[in-house]
Amino acid sequence: MAMNRDEIFKDVQEVLVDALGVDDDEVTTESTLTGDLGAESIDFLDIVFRLEKAFGIKIPREELFPAESLMNNSEFISKGKFTEKGLAELRDKIPHTDLSTFENNPDVNKLGDLFTVGAIVNYVETKLNSAA
């Protein structure tokens, strides 16, 4: 069953409203999960579970939110910023996310800002298209 982008967004929005207890109008494609919607690290597991159930897809660990493996690698982070090698790894791990602004100031504390509703929609759309 093919879904268009608007349908995917609506379902992602519903997942996030349920998982995070936010209102529909707070969930826009530009909303960041942590900054705008108040998600904490434990919420990411719940969100992944709910997305898998809502869309009938399997999301491997750290494929949608690859923070842990990146943060614990000294080749990827130096002095609180992602190195060139770290940025390359990020581009590889999260092709569904726009890194253009982040690359100008790759501060590790800003990593959470990359996890937007739009990035989740892109990810789910890619997963659904590859399964079709």
Side-chain angles (χ1 to χ4, degrees):
M1 171 183 98
M3 294 179 78
N4 70 38
R5 194 166 172 80
D6 290 336
E7 292 169 325
I8 294 170
F9 170 76
K10 279 291 179 204
D11 287 354
V12 167
Q13 183 182 46
E14 189 175 308
V15 162
L16 295 173
V17 165
D18 290 346
L20 301 175
V22 294
D23 294 329
D24 301 28
D25 60 348
E26 293 178 78
V27 182
T28 67
T29 54
E30 295 81 29
S31 301
T32 62
L33 296 184
T34 52
D36 296 326
L37 302 179
E40 297 177 4
S41 57
I42 191 73
D43 294 318
F44 286 86
L45 292 172
D46 186 34
I47 291 166
V48 167
F49 173 75
R50 289 171 186 262
L51 289 170
E52 287 179 330
K53 196 170 175 183
F55 293 100
I57 58 176
K58 183 73 183 126
I59 301 173
R61 186 168 187 263
E62 291 226 357
E63 187 174 89
L64 181 56
F65 306 118
E68 198 174 305
S69 61
L70 296 171
M71 300 298 269
N72 297 327
N73 188 326
S74 60
E75 290 184 21
F76 297 156
I77 296 178
S78 176
K79 298 178 184 155
K81 295 199 183 275
F82 277 86
T83 62
E84 277 307 313
K85 191 170 188 174
L87 286 171
E89 187 71 9
L90 258 183
R91 283 189 288 277
D92 183 56
K93 292 224 184 248
I94 52 174
H96 49 275
T97 303
D98 178 8
L99 299 175
S100 56
T101 304
F102 182 76
E103 289 172 329
N104 295 329
N105 181 18
D107 185 325
V108 294
N109 297 315
K110 304 256 185 234
L111 183 63
D113 294 345
L114 294 177
F115 304 127
T116 64
V117 174
I120 294 173
V121 172
N122 292 343
Y123 175 83
V124 170
E125 186 175 38
T126 301
K127 287 294 260 192
L128 292 176
N129 287 339
S130 68

